[in-house]
């Protein structure tokens, strides 16, 4: 497989200084996403990684308007998604879809697989009757199931098969952009590869753009063209998958990558792991300055005073760190 | 470390475990044998539902009985058969000589009891320590597992701990009585990678410092490569291959082992790696197939594979495989994991 050419492609979605804060009682504010900026090009897969609670899902949800942003903007195909009229909004919800982590909870158990897949078309008035059924059969075949499955119910399927149903549902309205929120985390390793290969094939055939959210950095590296690393609501580093893994610049990225065990005993025996001390701090009242300061061994005074901006330190390589030159 | 009668700690032979459900008998474990030497880490790997947890829990009689029942087999631990132990005898082994840690610390920590007290319980019960000594030891254990301010933390409840700290607390409880064997069932699956690295590091140190043997259950082959000395590969309730770390990773012989190794991407490969998923799903354990359970998903399957379960073929002192491809009449098949390395 060759690497995709991304230069010269236009941005399909732009996120500018996006913030999503939640009120969590006692007048406290949880800053789930706190000023995130990135863009995704047409046909590209942007991986979004980071530890539990760092704001990945919230970012993805705000990007397709499942959450109202607290501040900042999301520009899809040139339009600010917070300022759409009804018709534009309907069009946007068709163009931007989501695949969820839990293939068990995200499918309505009382609906047949055919109706689950057809629901989006019904809402958007896309296809009716025979044409609708034909599309459902086509989608089932595209995702590696077969037309007989249309009349069955979700509980009759395995996790991997359910995730395929979720993908068929997302594809039914012919979207351009899909937020894949941990689409493989609930699946067995041998099944994960099936779903990832399917997502890659579909992207190639239909020119889809993905935001791919996951814990598993090995898989993210495999599927993504570029990767954004988040920590406590902020993007710490953003660059191509290759550069991120070959020359990570942010101390957090370095520790994160070094923490991942590689399935090769020889490699593991000769590795020196950077062990980060402590836990991820709470997004309620996060520290002033750099969000990573409490676990960073290079921390300086300036890191406690001022939050570092995400700067382009080399072409296509963005880092938010005062230490990196 | 190969089998050595002087170092042998636990020796499981032909273990068979079933669950009687309304739908019928689930044959979860169907004749599993393995051993662990003193101070050694053995990994049990395999797909979800293949019987890893049931195997581990059965050795300590921790499966719910009924519906579960140990149909056959023996679990020799320090020369005694644990399957013959009464509940009371088992009680004295659990938490003192053999300890277990689980994926979800909240299921095994008592939410209504202070963490320190939970560590002290075993010490008072098994080691007949005084309350005062036990408390001192509890503080020491929290310190060993890297929890800051242990004097304060012993007085806290589990919900006041973060996920990684709970896992550490569970390890502290498990190791307080200095067990000879630690069974760790997906100990880091629910944790973030930076916390996982901390916990694995801790487990390796403890293994070294206290000569504790570990049975590590995980689906993460990276964790296996980092932690284990030997591997047992399970599929649909049976062991299909076993060997040292290098024998399995570089010279594995079972097509299922190949599938496991080839379906995961690696962080350290250059360029785009092709992933080879194992198509299909594991068989139903209500009526396991009569031949090799992997035959239906195996690209090399021959007619005999669907008829009869292959016997063990021994390839070295530690390495054996159960696969008809080892038979002299079978066609030669190129080993795809070996080839990838040359
Ligand atoms: N609706 C909500 N109300 C209050 N807090 C929320 C809400 N949704 C998310 N949060 C909080 O926002 C933070 C970010 O959550 P988010 O789900 O985006 O994290 P994540 O990076 O997707 O984590 P994970 O990897 O565990 O899925 C967390 O602290 C979470 O508890
Ligand atoms: N209490 C029970 N009643 C009925 N069946 C059970 C029970 N516990 C386990 N099983 C069955 O036994 C089989 C083996 O389960 P086990 O939990 O050992 O799998 P595992 O290899 O640990 O999987 P995982 O990786 O998902 O933890 C499964 O088919 C499971 O459904
Ligand atoms: Mg999430
Ligand atoms: Mg299990």
């Amino acid at each position: 497989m060759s690497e995709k050419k991304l230069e010269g492609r236009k941005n399909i979605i732009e996120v500018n200084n996006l913030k999503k804060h939640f009120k969590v009682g006692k007048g406290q504010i949880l800053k789930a996403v706190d000023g995130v900026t990135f863009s995704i090009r047409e046909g590209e897969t942007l991986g979004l990684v980071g530890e539990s609670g760092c704001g990945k899902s919230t970012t993805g949800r705000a990007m397709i308007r499942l959450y109202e942003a607290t501040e900042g903007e999301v520009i899809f195909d040139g339009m600010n998604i917070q300022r759409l009229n009804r018709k534009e909004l309907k069009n946007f919800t068709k163009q931007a879809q989501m695949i969820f982590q839990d293939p068990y909870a995200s499918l309505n158990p009382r609906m047949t697989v055919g109706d689950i897949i057809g629901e989006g078309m019904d809402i958007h008035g896309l296809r009716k009757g025979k044409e609708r059924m034909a599309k459902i059969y086509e989608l089932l075949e595209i995702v590696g199931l077969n037309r007989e499955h249309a009349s069955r119910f979700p509980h009759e399927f395995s996790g991997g098969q359910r995730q395929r149903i979720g993908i068929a549902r997302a594809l039914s309205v012919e979207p351009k952009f899909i937020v894949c929120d941990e689409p493989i985390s609930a699946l067995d390793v041998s099944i994960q590869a099936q779903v990832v290969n399917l997502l890659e094939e579909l992207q190639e055939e239909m020119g889809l753009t993905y935001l791919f959210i996951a814990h598993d950095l090995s898989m993210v590296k495999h599927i993504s063209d570029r990767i954004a690393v988040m920590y406590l609501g902020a993007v710490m580093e953003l660059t191509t998958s290759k550069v991120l893994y070959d020359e990570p610049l942010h101390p957090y990225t370095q520790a994160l990558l070094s923490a991942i065990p590689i399935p090769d005993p020889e490699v593991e025996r000769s590795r020196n792991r950077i062990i980060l001390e402590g836990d991820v701090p709470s997004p309620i009242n996060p520290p002033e300055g750099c969000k990573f300061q409490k676990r960073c061994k290079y921390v300086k005074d300036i890191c406690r005073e001022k939050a570092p901006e995400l700067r382009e330190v080399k072409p296509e390589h963005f880092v938010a760190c005062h230490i990196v030159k | 470390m190969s089998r050595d009668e002087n170092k042998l700690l636990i020796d499981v032979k032909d273990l068979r475990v079933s669950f009687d459900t309304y739908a019928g008998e689930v044959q979860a474990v169907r004749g599993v044998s393995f051993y662990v030497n003193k101070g050694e880490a053995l990994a049990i790997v395999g797909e979800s539902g293949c019987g890893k947890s049931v195997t581990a829990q059965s050795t300590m009689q921790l499966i719910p009985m009924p519906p579960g029942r140990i149909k056959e087999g023996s679990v020799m631990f320090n020369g005694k058969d644990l399957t013959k132990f009464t509940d009371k005898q088992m009680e004295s082994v659990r938490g003192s000589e053999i300890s277990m840690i689980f994926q979800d610390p909240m299921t095994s920590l008592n939410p209504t009891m202070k963490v320190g007290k939970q560590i002290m319980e075993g010490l008072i019960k098994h080691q007949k320590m005084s309350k005062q000594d036990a408390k001192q030891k509890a503080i020491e254990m929290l310190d060993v597992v890297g929890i800051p301010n242990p004097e304060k933390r012993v007085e806290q409840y589990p919900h006041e701990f973060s996920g990684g700290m709970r896992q550490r607390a569970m390890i502290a409880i498990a190791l307080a009585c200095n067990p000879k064997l630690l069974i760790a069932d997906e100990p880091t699956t629910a944790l973030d990678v930076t916390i996982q690295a901390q916990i694995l590091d801790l487990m390796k140190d403890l293994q070294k410092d206290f000569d504790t043997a570990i049975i590590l259950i995980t689906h993460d082959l990276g964790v296996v490569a980092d932690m284990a000395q030997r591997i047992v590969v399970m599929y649909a309730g049976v062991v299909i291959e076993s060997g040292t770390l290098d024998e399995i990773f570089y010279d594995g012989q079972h097509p299922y082992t190949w599938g496991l190794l080839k379906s995961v991407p690696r962080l350290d490969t250059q360029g785009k790696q092709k992933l080879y998923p194992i198509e299909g799903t594991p068989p139903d354990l209500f009526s396991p197939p009569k031949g090799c359970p992997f035959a239906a998903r195996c690209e090399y399957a021959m007619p005999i594979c669907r008829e009869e379960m292959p016997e063990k073929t021994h390839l070295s002192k530690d390495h054996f495989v159960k696969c008809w491809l080892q038979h002299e009449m079978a066609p030669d098949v190129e080993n795809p994991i070996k080839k990838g390395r040359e």
Side-chain angles (χ1 to χ4, degrees):
Chain A
M1 269 182 267
S2 59
E3 298 210 358
K4 263 183 258 167
K5 287 264 175 298
L6 292 165
E7 298 90 53
R9 292 198 194 180
K10 73 172 174 71
N11 288 340
I12 187 163
I13 194 158
E14 288 171 17
V15 177
N16 294 325
N17 192 30
L18 181 72
K19 294 189 183 174
K20 178 67 197 173
H21 296 175
F22 296 102
K23 294 204 178 72
V24 286
K26 292 185 207 150
Q28 300 204 90
I29 292 181
L30 186 152
K31 300 181 173 175
V33 178
D34 203 23
V36 159
T37 300
F38 60 79
S39 55
I40 315 180
R41 298 180 183 122
E42 207 152 38
E44 180 185 32
T45 300
L46 180 76
L48 193 56
V49 303
E51 288 171 280
S52 186
C54 71
K56 304 180 297 293
S57 298
T58 306
T59 303
R61 286 165 170 265
M63 283 170 73
I64 62 167
R65 261 190 77 159
L66 285 179
Y67 283 148
E68 257 348 289
T70 308
E71 219 184 292
E73 54 181 24
V74 177
I75 311 287
F76 182 82
D77 236 355
M79 291 206 270
N80 184 333
I81 66 162
Q82 268 102 250
R83 301 217 196 95
L84 302 174
N85 63 32
R86 264 184 61 197
K87 201 170 145 229
E88 288 165 341
L89 180 60
K90 205 167 166 196
N91 185 43
F92 172 70
T93 56
K94 175 172 136 11
Q95 303 277 335
Q97 289 286 314
M98 185 148 178
I99 301 169
F100 297 89
Q101 168 169 2
D102 188 349
Y104 295 86
S106 62
L107 304 177
N108 185 338
R110 281 179 292 275
M111 279 167 76
T112 64
V113 166
D115 284 335
I116 289 171
I117 297 173
E119 198 182 17
M121 291 190 273
D122 304 342
I123 291 169
H124 291 282
L126 291 180
R127 288 186 172 80
K128 291 198 177 62
K130 257 195 176 150
E131 238 186 282
R132 174 179 177 276
M133 266 341 271
K135 183 72 187 178
I136 290 169
Y137 293 151
E138 185 195 323
L139 287 164
L140 281 169
E141 277 160 21
I142 287 175
V143 298
L145 298 170
N146 57 55
R147 51 172 63 202
E148 284 72 42
H149 290 140
S151 55
R152 307 229 297 220
F153 289 89
H155 71 86
E156 298 171 53
F157 293 87
S158 70
Q161 288 174 318
R162 286 182 213 206
Q163 208 51 295
R164 289 165 188 272
I165 296 167
I167 294 171
R169 171 175 63 184
L171 292 176
S172 69
V173 292
E174 294 166 14
K176 282 189 183 162
F177 171 61
I178 303 180
V179 173
C180 309
D181 190 359
E182 311 248 8
I184 51 167
S185 307
L187 305 177
D188 223 86
V189 251
S190 73
I191 313 290
Q192 290 184 353
Q194 293 178 10
V195 174
V196 165
N197 285 353
L198 173 64
L199 287 171
E200 290 187 310
E201 280 161 34
L202 293 172
Q203 177 167 59
E204 205 163 301
E205 281 159 30
M206 304 179 183
L208 297 168
T209 304
Y210 296 140
L211 178 74
F212 190 90
I213 298 173
H215 273 109
D216 178 349
L217 272 90
S218 313
M219 199 55 101
V220 173
K221 181 201 175 201
H222 173 82
I223 196 169
S224 306
D225 300 296
R226 289 185 306 144
I227 297 173
V229 180
M230 277 184 84
Y231 190 83
L232 214 60
V235 172
M236 299 280 125
E237 186 159 3
L238 169 61
T239 185
T240 62
S241 322
K242 182 169 167 17
V243 173
L244 189 85
Y245 287 88
D246 290 348
E247 331 162 31
L249 292 176
H250 199 288
Y252 177 62
T253 315
Q254 291 170 353
L256 192 64
L257 293 176
S258 129
I260 295 159
I262 290 171
D264 186 333
E266 264 170 34
V267 173
E268 276 304 311
R269 278 193 283 265
S270 62
R271 257 175 120 205
N272 270 326
R273 199 147 268 146
I274 307 169
I275 305 270
L276 277 185
E277 307 259 316
D279 291 315
V280 183
S282 158
I284 302 170
N285 306 323
E288 294 280 316
C290 176
K291 308 251 182 193
F292 185 58
Q293 55 178 280
K294 295 237 166 78
R295 293 170 90 192
C296 184
K297 60 178 170 190
Y298 308 105
V299 64
K300 285 191 187 148
D301 286 344
I302 181 156
C303 308
R304 298 193 186 93
E305 286 153 19
K306 209 172 123 217
E309 302 244 336
L310 192 65
R311 320 169 269 138
E312 189 164 16
V313 293
K314 285 180 197 167
E316 288 274 357
H317 196 158
F318 297 82
V319 186
C321 177
H322 291 304
I323 311 294
V324 176
K325 287 284 155 286
Chain B
M1 243 192 294
S2 44
R3 190 185 171 104
D4 174 347
E5 299 302 326
N6 296 320
K7 287 193 165 169
L8 199 60
L9 181 65
I10 189 164
D11 191 15
V12 176
K13 280 219 172 83
D14 198 32
L15 187 68
R16 289 170 196 272
V17 184
S18 283
F19 292 92
D20 296 308
T21 68
Y22 287 111
E25 177 188 346
V26 182
Q27 301 175 40
V29 174
R30 305 186 292 135
V32 162
S33 303
F34 64 88
Y35 67 91
V36 186
N37 287 322
K38 292 183 179 126
E40 182 186 39
L42 174 83
I44 304 181
V45 302
E47 239 155 315
S48 186
C50 72
K52 305 182 293 294
S53 298
V54 171
T55 298
Q57 287 165 12
S58 301
T59 62
M60 284 174 79
Q61 294 191 31
L62 277 178
I63 53 162
M65 295 191 264
R69 80 196 135 89
I70 298 177
K71 287 169 63 179
E72 248 184 86
S74 59
V75 178
M76 300 303 287
F77 180 74
N78 269 340
K80 296 194 198 88
D81 187 353
L82 297 184
T83 63
K84 304 266 172 354
F85 272 33
T86 61
D87 286 354
K88 209 165 161 213
Q89 285 174 303
M90 228 26 242
E91 275 290 294
S92 69
V93 175
R94 263 183 237 141
S96 67
E97 293 183 81
I98 309 180
S99 283
M100 189 150 181
I101 54 179
F102 302 90
Q103 172 169 352
D104 180 4
M106 271 328 235
T107 57
S108 50
L109 288 175
N110 181 345
T112 62
M113 199 195 275
K114 286 178 183 164
V115 170
K117 197 139 184 239
Q118 299 190 46
I119 304 174
M120 288 160 63
E121 266 197 326
L123 293 165
I124 293 169
K125 190 166 109 197
H126 299 300
Q127 308 211 327
K128 313 277 177 273
M129 270 191 194
S130 71
K131 245 180 125 176
Q132 222 174 354
D133 290 348
K135 184 157 181 191
Q136 206 44 51
K137 175 86 182 179
I139 293 172
E140 201 184 300
M141 285 312 296
L142 285 183
D143 190 43
V144 167
V145 298
I147 291 180
N149 299 324
E151 301 82 8
K152 265 216 200 104
R153 292 292 185 177
V154 284
E155 302 294 344
Q156 290 188 325
Y157 291 92
H159 73 260
E160 298 173 73
F161 281 34
S162 73
M165 278 162 60
R166 280 179 208 147
Q167 204 68 349
R168 285 161 186 272
M170 197 159 65
I171 294 178
I173 296 171
L175 293 177
C177 296
N178 204 358
K180 300 188 181 69
L181 176 66
L182 176 69
I183 301 178
D185 192 350
E186 308 266 5
T188 56
T189 305
L191 303 176
D192 280 312
V193 281
T194 62
I195 312 295
Q196 166 171 289
Q198 296 171 356
I199 300 286
L200 295 181
D201 213 43
L202 169 67
M203 283 177 41
K204 274 191 283 193
D205 282 350
L206 296 169
Q207 185 193 1
K208 230 188 307 146
D209 297 348
F210 301 102
D211 205 29
T212 313
I214 298 175
I215 296 177
L216 174 71
I217 296 173
T218 176
H219 65 273
D220 186 331
L221 294 170
V223 172
V224 174
D226 183 23
M227 284 288 298
Q229 282 90 54
R230 275 190 309 117
I231 307 179
V232 163
V233 185
M234 280 186 75
Y235 189 79
V238 295
V239 176
I240 53 102
E241 184 162 12
S242 180
T244 64
L245 203 53
D246 288 24
E247 284 168 338
I248 298 297
F249 274 91
Y250 305 136
D251 193 25
Q253 294 292 330
H254 200 288
Y256 177 64
T257 307
W258 297 341
L260 279 182
L261 289 167
K262 292 205 314 166
S263 59
V264 293
R266 288 176 52 156
L267 201 58
D268 60 339
T269 44
Q270 291 290 332
K272 193 109 176 158
Q273 174 192 359
K274 194 164 162 36
L275 301 184
Y276 298 90
I278 308 173
E279 298 297 342
T281 45
D284 194 350
L285 294 174
F286 283 115
S287 50
K290 66 176 167 174
C292 169
F294 189 58
R297 300 171 77 187
C298 180
E299 59 178 301
Y300 309 101
M302 302 172 281
I304 180 77
C305 303
R306 296 195 176 82
E307 291 303 319
E308 221 179 293
M309 182 66 200
E311 293 288 320
K312 264 189 201 174
T313 305
H314 289 273
L315 303 159
S316 81
K317 249 180 9 284
D318 300 305
H319 191 183
F320 71 80
V321 62
K322 288 181 199 160
C323 178
W324 282 113
L325 286 178
Q326 299 297 323
H327 195 272
E328 54 189 22
M329 309 274 280
D332 277 336
V333 166
E334 202 169 15
N335 186 333
I337 54 169
K338 238 182 172 165
K339 191 174 160 243
R341 278 169 52 80
E342 274 145 19

mmCIF file of all heavy atoms in Angstrom, chain B residues 111-131:
data_model
loop_
_atom_site.group_PDB
_atom_site.id
_atom_site.type_symbol
_atom_site.label_atom_id
_atom_site.label_comp_id
_atom_site.label_asym_id
_atom_site.label_seq_id
_atom_site.Cartn_x
_atom_site.Cartn_y
_atom_site.Cartn_z
ATOM 1 N N PRO B 111 -16.158 -1.524 48.246
ATOM 2 C CA PRO B 111 -16.330 -0.070 48.224
ATOM 3 C C PRO B 111 -16.614 0.533 49.594
ATOM 4 O O PRO B 111 -16.420 1.726 49.803
ATOM 5 C CB PRO B 111 -17.523 0.137 47.278
ATOM 6 C CG PRO B 111 -18.251 -1.155 47.271
ATOM 7 C CD PRO B 111 -17.225 -2.225 47.532
ATOM 8 N N THR B 112 -17.054 -0.297 50.539
ATOM 9 C CA THR B 112 -17.443 0.257 51.839
ATOM 10 C C THR B 112 -16.344 0.102 52.888
ATOM 11 O O THR B 112 -16.546 0.380 54.058
ATOM 12 C CB THR B 112 -18.711 -0.437 52.368
ATOM 13 O OG1 THR B 112 -18.401 -1.829 52.560
ATOM 14 C CG2 THR B 112 -19.869 -0.315 51.396
ATOM 15 N N MET B 113 -15.196 -0.397 52.462
ATOM 16 C CA MET B 113 -14.121 -0.621 53.443
ATOM 17 C C MET B 113 -12.889 0.176 53.056
ATOM 18 O O MET B 113 -12.536 0.251 51.885
ATOM 19 C CB MET B 113 -13.782 -2.113 53.467
ATOM 20 C CG MET B 113 -13.055 -2.550 54.713
ATOM 21 S SD MET B 113 -12.304 -4.179 54.507
ATOM 22 C CE MET B 113 -13.637 -5.254 54.909
ATOM 23 N N LYS B 114 -12.250 0.783 54.047
ATOM 24 C CA LYS B 114 -11.043 1.549 53.767
ATOM 25 C C LYS B 114 -9.984 0.665 53.113
ATOM 26 O O LYS B 114 -9.863 -0.514 53.451
ATOM 27 C CB LYS B 114 -10.467 2.121 55.068
ATOM 28 C CG LYS B 114 -11.271 3.283 55.596
ATOM 29 C CD LYS B 114 -10.695 3.788 56.905
ATOM 30 C CE LYS B 114 -11.557 4.914 57.443
ATOM 31 N NZ LYS B 114 -11.261 5.181 58.861
ATOM 32 N N VAL B 115 -9.232 1.262 52.212
ATOM 33 C CA VAL B 115 -8.245 0.498 51.461
ATOM 34 C C VAL B 115 -7.250 -0.186 52.399
ATOM 35 O O VAL B 115 -6.931 -1.371 52.246
ATOM 36 C CB VAL B 115 -7.509 1.408 50.454
ATOM 37 C CG1 VAL B 115 -6.320 0.691 49.839
ATOM 38 C CG2 VAL B 115 -8.466 1.877 49.360
ATOM 39 N N GLY B 116 -6.805 0.556 53.407
ATOM 40 C CA GLY B 116 -5.837 -0.013 54.339
ATOM 41 C C GLY B 116 -6.377 -1.260 55.011
ATOM 42 O O GLY B 116 -5.697 -2.279 55.136
ATOM 43 N N LYS B 117 -7.634 -1.202 55.423
ATOM 44 C CA LYS B 117 -8.254 -2.326 56.106
ATOM 45 C C LYS B 117 -8.309 -3.556 55.190
ATOM 46 O O LYS B 117 -8.133 -4.684 55.628
ATOM 47 C CB LYS B 117 -9.660 -1.913 56.533
ATOM 48 C CG LYS B 117 -10.231 -2.815 57.571
ATOM 49 C CD LYS B 117 -10.990 -2.068 58.657
ATOM 50 C CE LYS B 117 -11.454 -3.047 59.714
ATOM 51 N NZ LYS B 117 -12.908 -3.052 59.877
ATOM 52 N N GLN B 118 -8.540 -3.298 53.873
ATOM 53 C CA GLN B 118 -8.620 -4.415 52.940
ATOM 54 C C GLN B 118 -7.268 -5.101 52.786
ATOM 55 O O GLN B 118 -7.199 -6.300 52.558
ATOM 56 C CB GLN B 118 -9.135 -3.935 51.584
ATOM 57 C CG GLN B 118 -10.537 -3.347 51.699
ATOM 58 C CD GLN B 118 -11.181 -3.082 50.357
ATOM 59 O OE1 GLN B 118 -11.153 -3.904 49.460
ATOM 60 N NE2 GLN B 118 -11.781 -1.907 50.206
ATOM 61 N N ILE B 119 -6.214 -4.325 52.903
ATOM 62 C CA ILE B 119 -4.879 -4.945 52.835
ATOM 63 C C ILE B 119 -4.603 -5.703 54.135
ATOM 64 O O ILE B 119 -4.058 -6.794 54.138
ATOM 65 C CB ILE B 119 -3.787 -3.878 52.596
ATOM 66 C CG1 ILE B 119 -4.087 -3.075 51.324
ATOM 67 C CG2 ILE B 119 -2.414 -4.532 52.492
ATOM 68 C CD1 ILE B 119 -3.136 -1.912 51.085
ATOM 69 N N MET B 120 -5.041 -5.120 55.245
ATOM 70 C CA MET B 120 -4.764 -5.711 56.560
ATOM 71 C C MET B 120 -5.468 -7.051 56.763
ATOM 72 O O MET B 120 -4.928 -7.944 57.417
ATOM 73 C CB MET B 120 -5.199 -4.748 57.666
ATOM 74 C CG MET B 120 -4.303 -3.531 57.798
ATOM 75 S SD MET B 120 -5.126 -2.176 58.668
ATOM 76 C CE MET B 120 -5.407 -2.910 60.288
ATOM 77 N N GLU B 121 -6.667 -7.185 56.193
ATOM 78 C CA GLU B 121 -7.465 -8.402 56.396
ATOM 79 C C GLU B 121 -6.666 -9.686 56.212
ATOM 80 O O GLU B 121 -6.654 -10.552 57.081
ATOM 81 C CB GLU B 121 -8.632 -8.412 55.413
ATOM 82 C CG GLU B 121 -9.904 -7.841 55.970
ATOM 83 C CD GLU B 121 -11.096 -8.257 55.127
ATOM 84 O OE1 GLU B 121 -10.951 -8.394 53.893
ATOM 85 O OE2 GLU B 121 -12.173 -8.431 55.710
ATOM 86 N N GLY B 122 -6.033 -9.795 55.049
ATOM 87 C CA GLY B 122 -5.286 -11.013 54.740
ATOM 88 C C GLY B 122 -4.129 -11.215 55.694
ATOM 89 O O GLY B 122 -3.843 -12.343 56.116
ATOM 90 N N LEU B 123 -3.484 -10.122 56.047
ATOM 91 C CA LEU B 123 -2.321 -10.216 56.925
ATOM 92 C C LEU B 123 -2.719 -10.725 58.303
ATOM 93 O O LEU B 123 -2.033 -11.539 58.910
ATOM 94 C CB LEU B 123 -1.668 -8.837 57.059
ATOM 95 C CG LEU B 123 -1.021 -8.297 55.782
ATOM 96 C CD1 LEU B 123 -0.743 -6.810 55.917
ATOM 97 C CD2 LEU B 123 0.252 -9.063 55.466
ATOM 98 N N ILE B 124 -3.872 -10.250 58.783
ATOM 99 C CA ILE B 124 -4.339 -10.667 60.097
ATOM 100 C C ILE B 124 -4.802 -12.126 60.038
ATOM 101 O O ILE B 124 -4.484 -12.929 60.905
ATOM 102 C CB ILE B 124 -5.473 -9.734 60.592
ATOM 103 C CG1 ILE B 124 -4.885 -8.336 60.834
ATOM 104 C CG2 ILE B 124 -6.127 -10.291 61.854
ATOM 105 C CD1 ILE B 124 -5.913 -7.255 61.076
ATOM 106 N N LYS B 125 -5.493 -12.448 58.931
ATOM 107 C CA LYS B 125 -6.049 -13.791 58.810
ATOM 108 C C LYS B 125 -4.959 -14.842 58.542
ATOM 109 O O LYS B 125 -4.888 -15.847 59.227
ATOM 110 C CB LYS B 125 -7.079 -13.806 57.675
ATOM 111 C CG LYS B 125 -7.897 -15.083 57.610
ATOM 112 C CD LYS B 125 -9.119 -14.935 56.714
ATOM 113 C CE LYS B 125 -8.933 -15.730 55.451
ATOM 114 N NZ LYS B 125 -9.846 -15.355 54.387
ATOM 115 N N HIS B 126 -4.151 -14.580 57.531
ATOM 116 C CA HIS B 126 -3.202 -15.620 57.118
ATOM 117 C C HIS B 126 -1.899 -15.579 57.897
ATOM 118 O O HIS B 126 -1.306 -16.595 58.174
ATOM 119 C CB HIS B 126 -2.875 -15.488 55.633
ATOM 120 C CG HIS B 126 -4.064 -15.648 54.755
ATOM 121 N ND1 HIS B 126 -4.822 -16.792 54.742
ATOM 122 C CD2 HIS B 126 -4.645 -14.811 53.863
ATOM 123 C CE1 HIS B 126 -5.806 -16.655 53.875
ATOM 124 N NE2 HIS B 126 -5.732 -15.453 53.330
ATOM 125 N N GLN B 127 -1.438 -14.379 58.197
ATOM 126 C CA GLN B 127 -0.126 -14.301 58.835
ATOM 127 C C GLN B 127 -0.230 -14.006 60.323
ATOM 128 O O GLN B 127 0.782 -13.830 60.986
ATOM 129 C CB GLN B 127 0.719 -13.239 58.126
ATOM 130 C CG GLN B 127 0.742 -13.463 56.628
ATOM 131 C CD GLN B 127 2.033 -13.010 55.995
ATOM 132 O OE1 GLN B 127 2.649 -12.051 56.431
ATOM 133 N NE2 GLN B 127 2.438 -13.706 54.952
ATOM 134 N N LYS B 128 -1.470 -13.989 60.830
ATOM 135 C CA LYS B 128 -1.715 -13.801 62.259
ATOM 136 C C LYS B 128 -0.995 -12.578 62.826
ATOM 137 O O LYS B 128 -0.445 -12.608 63.922
ATOM 138 C CB LYS B 128 -1.293 -15.056 63.059
ATOM 139 C CG LYS B 128 -1.781 -16.378 62.482
ATOM 140 C CD LYS B 128 -3.221 -16.683 62.916
ATOM 141 C CE LYS B 128 -3.764 -17.963 62.311
ATOM 142 N NZ LYS B 128 -4.388 -17.814 60.995
ATOM 143 N N MET B 129 -0.963 -11.533 62.013
ATOM 144 C CA MET B 129 -0.302 -10.313 62.480
ATOM 145 C C MET B 129 -1.200 -9.567 63.447
ATOM 146 O O MET B 129 -2.418 -9.695 63.397
ATOM 147 C CB MET B 129 -0.052 -9.382 61.294
ATOM 148 C CG MET B 129 1.264 -9.595 60.619
ATOM 149 S SD MET B 129 1.522 -8.231 59.477
ATOM 150 C CE MET B 129 2.857 -8.908 58.524
ATOM 151 N N SER B 130 -0.602 -8.756 64.295
ATOM 152 C CA SER B 130 -1.396 -7.881 65.141
ATOM 153 C C SER B 130 -1.926 -6.752 64.266
ATOM 154 O O SER B 130 -1.395 -6.487 63.185
ATOM 155 C CB SER B 130 -0.534 -7.301 66.257
ATOM 156 O OG SER B 130 0.364 -6.362 65.691
ATOM 157 N N LYS B 131 -2.980 -6.086 64.755
ATOM 158 C CA LYS B 131 -3.578 -5.005 63.987
ATOM 159 C C LYS B 131 -2.549 -3.923 63.671
ATOM 160 O O LYS B 131 -2.495 -3.404 62.557
ATOM 161 C CB LYS B 131 -4.733 -4.385 64.784
ATOM 162 C CG LYS B 131 -6.083 -4.605 64.108
ATOM 163 C CD LYS B 131 -7.195 -3.987 64.914
ATOM 164 C CE LYS B 131 -7.989 -3.032 64.059
ATOM 165 N NZ LYS B 131 -9.142 -2.475 64.788
#
